[in-house]
């Protein structure tokens, strides 16, 4: 189970649901943006430190072992995730970093970020407390309270 963030380009007046459905229905993949990818990798390293890169065109992945944050550039699209493996203050730190990296991805790619767990654009999320509550709920449900595993 992971906390996911989606990225899309919306037309003026287009809802998030319409934009995400259009992405799913797209017959042809988008073109990869390798300049954005390189900038995202560099800026993410500045935020997180060492990251693992896996490249198998037309797919590129970045993973950070400590937090579990993953950035994926698949067939020209963008997606992020982090596993529900932290709790409390550590979850707050990880979610904060997830959102910082998401802002980098959005800025470099030109795509907007949407948080489906909260049901709103990431740019409109003012307080990450609701996201942290989700991490805590998963920890409670699966007995992971107080544990952090890599």
């Amino acid at each position: 189970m992971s906390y996911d963030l989606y990225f899309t380009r919306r037309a003026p007046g287009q809802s998030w649901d319409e934009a995400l459905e259009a992405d799913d229905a797209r017959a042809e993949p988008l073109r990869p943006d390798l300049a954005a990818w390189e900038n995202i990798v560099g800026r993410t390293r500045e935020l997180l430190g060492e990251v693992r890169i896996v490249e198998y065109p037309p797919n590129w992945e970045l993973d950070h072992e400590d937090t579990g944050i993953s950035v994926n550039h698949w067939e020209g699209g963008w997606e992020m995730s982090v596993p529900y493996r932290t709790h409390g203050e550590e979850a707050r730190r990880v979610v904060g970093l997830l959102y910082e990296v998401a802002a980098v991805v959005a800025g470099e790619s030109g795509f907007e970020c949407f948080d489906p767990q909260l049901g709103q654009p990431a740019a409109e999320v003012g307080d990450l407390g609701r996201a942290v509550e989700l991490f805590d709920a998963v920890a409670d449900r699966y007995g992971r309270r107080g544990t952090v595993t890599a």
Side-chain angles (χ1 to χ4, degrees):
M1 291 179 60
S2 63
Y3 193 99
D4 303 316
L5 297 177
Y6 302 140
F7 294 82
T8 192
R9 289 190 172 128
R10 290 188 299 160
Q14 186 179 38
S15 74
W16 277 99
D17 287 339
E18 292 168 337
L20 294 172
E21 286 174 18
D23 287 350
D24 289 341
R26 183 181 298 113
E28 295 292 319
L30 299 172
R31 296 182 68 143
D33 186 343
L34 298 182
W37 172 252
E38 291 300 323
N39 291 337
I40 289 165
V41 169
R43 292 184 60 200
T44 300
R45 282 185 170 133
E46 291 173 8
L47 289 169
L48 303 179
E50 188 56 41
V51 295
R52 180 178 67 94
I53 304 296
V54 178
E55 299 178 341
Y56 49 102
N59 303 307
W60 290 261
E61 296 180 17
L62 173 156
D63 296 300
H64 183 247
E65 187 175 338
D66 178 49
T67 61
I69 291 173
S70 177
V71 178
N72 302 298
H73 186 33
W74 292 337
E75 297 182 347
W78 299 90
E79 187 177 288
M80 288 184 65
S81 65
V82 65
Y84 285 106
R85 66 181 190 195
T86 58
H87 175 266
E89 287 307 309
E90 181 62 10
R92 182 170 297 283
R93 181 184 79 84
V94 169
V95 171
L97 288 169
L98 178 72
Y99 264 73
E100 285 185 61
V101 175
V104 168
V105 173
E108 293 291 342
S109 70
F111 283 60
E112 292 179 84
C113 181
F114 183 75
D115 184 327
Q117 290 81 200
L118 301 181
Q120 66 187 98
E124 294 177 12
V125 175
D127 178 14
L128 297 177
R130 287 180 40 218
V132 174
E133 288 172 7
L134 292 171
F135 275 71
D136 290 349
V138 171
D140 289 343
R141 182 172 184 175
Y142 293 100
R144 295 181 189 163
R145 183 170 278 284
T147 63
V148 177
T149 58

